[in-house]
Amino acid sequence: MSALPSQPPVPSRGAIASGLPVRVSRLVRRFATQAQAPVDVLTGIDLEVPPSEFVALLGPSGCGKSTLLRLVAGLDAPDGGTVEVGGRPIRRREHPDAVAFVFQEAHLLPWRTLIKNVALPLELRGMPPGERRDRALHMLERVGLRDASERYPSQLSGGMQLRGSLARALVTDPKLLLLDEPFAALDEITRQRLDGLIYELWRERRFTALFVTHSLREAVFLSQRAVMFSRRPAHLVADRRIDFPVERGPELRGLAAYNDLVEQLHHDLLIAEGGS
Amino acid sequence: MTWRRLRRLAVQLGPPLCAALAMLAIWELWVRWAHPPRFLFCAPSEIWHEAVARAGELGAATWKTTVAVAWGFALSAVLGVAVAVILSSNRVVERAFYPFTVILQTVPLVAIAPMLVIWLHAGVRAVAICAFIVSVFPVITNTLSGIRSIPHPQVELFWLYGARPWARLWKLKLPGALPSIMAGLRIAAGLAVIGAVVGEFVAGELGADRGLGIVVVVAAKQGELPMLFAAVALASLLGIAMVGGVNAVAYLLMHRWHVSQRPD
């Protein structure tokens, strides 16, 4: 009866695996350029992500992380290889509710109030107004924006807009969340707060997450696994598990194990920058 | 609140009104002291007296022209936006048909008007089409560039959630392009008045049932200078009213969310 998402809060790690697995095999993507030969961005990437894993995609700027993410979302078509989400090839409009994408900027529609922005995905699939309003409001409550629900995006700060876009992405209760450097433009404190929020939401809902970021600290804080790509054409340089004996919270950032991992990834990144 | 609004109105309307009054005063004084030839110039007071004396005739003519302007402008708004939406839907369609919209802009109205008279006979319909032809191009180009400027991630968002074409049109393209559409309509509002008045020169009805364009032509031929000026003044007032109307609609639709509508 409840209009809220059916997922109950999950008390402990790994209790329910409700995310979709992602399998990328031999993925090839090249972009045509005007003057020269096509640029190879991805030349045969393999990546397997089990259900409900939180994976950070790292690597030098322009190495093709975002391209990979867009291919997984179905926003772009590969020149070779396959992407499977939930065991099936991703195709146009096949799982409109199951996959959500968070862009670098919030991209809320300026002519809609915050709550109408958050309700948009539900509206587009034809949910009745009352029900989608309830769900959008619940989601806004969850990201701490309930009081701002009737405001327009131009009346919100950058951090609030991004929280709004996160709420919009999660309102359909997706099984796969793709995040393309969503917080790159924010100040450090706001960014850490939002990372904390994403982590909590992931613990509650156990979606699979692919998170493109430039921040190694952010990657270590959030993810269970960090994958490092080389410079173009991208190949995997490192694939590290990230495991901590403690709950992740602000105190994690002071932990020696945390800083060691960041250090290791930094080393990986230097190798990746060196290219091959 | 109301007091502040009144003040803002005064700040906006005060300067142009004062400027207009000052210019009229200089004009009046100049005519009274310099006595220019009567067939070349007349004083604002004469125009006013003439306008009051023939108010019925001028009012009817203004109404006649207003009807043609309203039809022409409405056609421009609806067809202009519709054509832009169709052009924006497909690159090939756009490349095929966009050049023809430029023809609308460049072919001289006085050359088309006689054809319209042949097809539609002189009258409101032909005049409205003249207003339409002159005013539709800015609506098409502005709407088109507005739709093209919608940020790509917003388009992708609609695609990701499997939005139907109809939803994309009403929930993304039209609201996204609205600021540009209103800019196009603002230009079209003034042009529609020009198109109607010039259209009447050629395609207007003669006799008692005439519009401002015909009043202008007749007054010019008969050397009735005050009447000529009165008709021109009414035509520009009509233009100002049209643009004001578009601005009011733009404010109603966008004041809560768009930067262009913020008070400074």
Side-chain angles (χ1 to χ4, degrees):
Chain A
M1 176 55 234
S2 161
L4 307 180
S6 53
Q7 234 64 49
V10 178
S12 69
R13 189 180 302 191
I16 295 178
S18 65
L20 286 170
V22 176
R23 177 199 293 238
V24 168
S25 36
R26 299 186 185 175
L27 204 60
V28 176
R29 183 75 177 105
R30 58 181 74 92
F31 289 115
T33 52
Q34 295 260 311
Q36 304 121 3
V39 177
D40 290 317
V41 181
L42 305 173
T43 50
I45 292 283
D46 293 300
L47 183 68
E48 187 125 5
V49 181
S52 303
E53 195 170 57
F54 200 116
V55 183
L57 305 178
L58 299 163
S61 307
C63 74
K65 311 176 294 268
S66 294
T67 305
L68 176 61
L69 206 65
R70 295 173 56 80
L71 286 165
V72 172
L75 289 173
D76 191 8
D79 293 309
T82 53
V83 176
E84 284 176 16
V85 174
R88 287 187 301 169
I90 180 122
R91 241 180 265 123
R92 297 188 150 216
R93 303 209 177 97
E94 199 154 299
H95 351 244
D97 291 346
V99 181
F101 199 99
V102 180
F103 297 93
Q104 276 180 26
E105 285 158 63
H107 284 296
L108 300 172
L109 304 178
W111 55 89
R112 284 177 167 244
T113 56
L114 182 58
I115 187 161
K116 289 203 166 160
N117 264 291
V118 173
L120 178 72
L122 305 174
E123 186 179 328
L124 289 178
R125 75 169 185 195
M127 186 184 276
E131 199 182 340
R132 65 181 190 237
R133 208 190 138 76
D134 286 347
R135 281 185 60 164
L137 208 56
H138 175 255
M139 207 51 236
L140 279 174
E141 172 114 62
R142 194 61 201 77
V143 300
L145 283 180
R146 196 193 165 98
D147 293 339
S149 62
E150 295 302 329
R151 286 203 236 162
Y152 286 84
S154 59
Q155 300 165 318
L156 303 172
S157 71
M160 289 163 97
Q161 291 189 25
L162 278 166
R163 272 191 278 165
S165 84
L166 200 58
R168 177 177 64 190
L170 291 175
V171 78
T172 58
D173 201 15
K175 307 298 178 213
L176 171 62
L177 186 63
L178 305 166
L179 305 113
D180 188 7
E181 291 184 60
F183 310 141
L186 294 180
D187 63 273
E188 193 56 29
I189 297 291
T190 313
R191 183 176 190 150
Q192 285 181 11
R193 268 197 209 124
L194 284 173
D195 285 343
L197 176 63
I198 288 197
Y199 181 69
E200 273 176 46
L201 289 165
W202 174 75
R203 295 240 311 141
E204 268 171 42
R205 294 162 180 244
R206 293 282 156 170
F207 43 79
T208 311
L210 295 185
F211 189 97
V212 170
T213 177
H214 276 123
S215 163
L216 304 178
R217 300 188 160 270
E218 186 170 56
V220 173
F221 177 81
L222 273 172
S223 45
Q224 296 179 299
R225 179 180 170 199
V227 175
M228 179 77 68
F229 291 99
S230 72
R231 271 196 351 213
R232 233 171 29 215
H235 59 264
L236 251 65
V237 176
D239 188 344
R240 292 190 186 279
R241 289 228 66 78
I242 297 171
D243 231 334
F244 295 113
V246 292
E247 274 315 313
R248 302 190 190 196
E251 59 282 357
L252 181 75
R253 297 179 200 274
L255 224 63
Y258 170 83
N259 289 303
D260 288 349
L261 261 166
V262 172
E263 207 46 51
Q264 272 178 359
L265 282 174
H266 190 242
H267 181 71
D268 294 337
L269 185 60
L270 288 179
I271 294 172
E273 291 274 11
S276 62
Chain B
M1 191 58 210
T2 9
W3 178 239
R4 264 184 55 192
R5 210 174 269 177
L6 268 175
R7 238 191 67 173
R8 210 189 312 158
L9 201 69
V11 168
Q12 275 183 342
L13 291 183
L17 279 181
C18 288
L21 282 176
M23 282 189 286
L24 285 174
I26 292 170
W27 180 1
E28 178 82 31
L29 291 174
W30 176 69
V31 171
R32 286 191 182 200
W33 282 334
H35 295 293
R38 301 255 337 130
F39 58 92
L40 287 181
F41 291 100
C42 59
S45 56
E46 288 175 82
I47 300 169
W48 176 253
H49 287 308
E50 183 78 1
V52 171
R54 298 169 73 175
E57 194 183 335
L58 279 169
T62 306
W63 173 245
K64 187 86 180 170
T65 304
T66 304
V67 170
V69 169
W71 276 110
F73 178 74
L75 271 178
S76 274
V78 173
L79 289 181
V81 171
V83 165
V85 165
I86 292 166
L87 290 184
S88 76
S89 65
N90 185 312
R91 280 270 160 193
V92 179
V93 173
E94 188 188 330
R95 244 175 269 151
F97 289 101
Y98 187 73
F100 296 101
T101 65
V102 181
I103 292 176
L104 278 178
Q105 170 84 336
T106 46
V107 167
L109 183 64
V110 268
I112 304 177
M115 289 197 280
L116 292 173
V117 175
I118 293 172
W119 291 332
L120 302 169
H121 303 297
V124 170
R125 270 193 306 176
V127 173
I129 297 293
C130 288
F132 161 72
I133 289 172
V134 171
S135 63
V136 74
F137 184 74
V139 182
I140 296 176
T141 18
N142 278 279
T143 305
L144 207 52
S145 95
I147 291 175
R148 280 212 216 99
S149 315
I150 292 170
H152 203 54
Q154 292 179 7
V155 179
E156 292 183 329
L157 192 76
F158 274 68
W159 182 87
L160 274 172
Y161 289 114
R164 304 267 146 222
W166 202 243
R168 279 210 307 272
L169 176 64
W170 285 102
K171 293 176 182 181
L172 179 65
K173 283 185 178 183
L174 289 181
L178 191 61
S180 303
I181 293 174
M182 295 320 290
L185 290 180
R186 203 168 289 132
I187 302 170
L191 287 178
V193 177
I194 297 175
V197 171
V198 174
E200 279 174 342
F201 289 176
V202 181
E205 261 173 293
L206 303 171
D209 206 16
R210 58 196 189 178
L212 286 174
I214 298 293
V215 171
V216 167
V217 173
V218 171
K221 279 204 178 125
Q222 299 178 346
E224 296 174 324
L225 225 48
M227 188 64 171
L228 174 59
F229 272 105
V232 170
L234 282 169
S236 32
L237 279 181
L238 178 54
I240 292 171
M242 289 292 297
V243 175
V246 173
N247 282 342
V249 171
Y251 177 80
L252 284 178
L253 291 176
M254 307 195 295
H255 71 108
R256 273 183 298 193
W257 60 273
H258 198 256
V259 274
S260 69
Q261 301 298 328
R262 284 227 191 98
D264 19 40

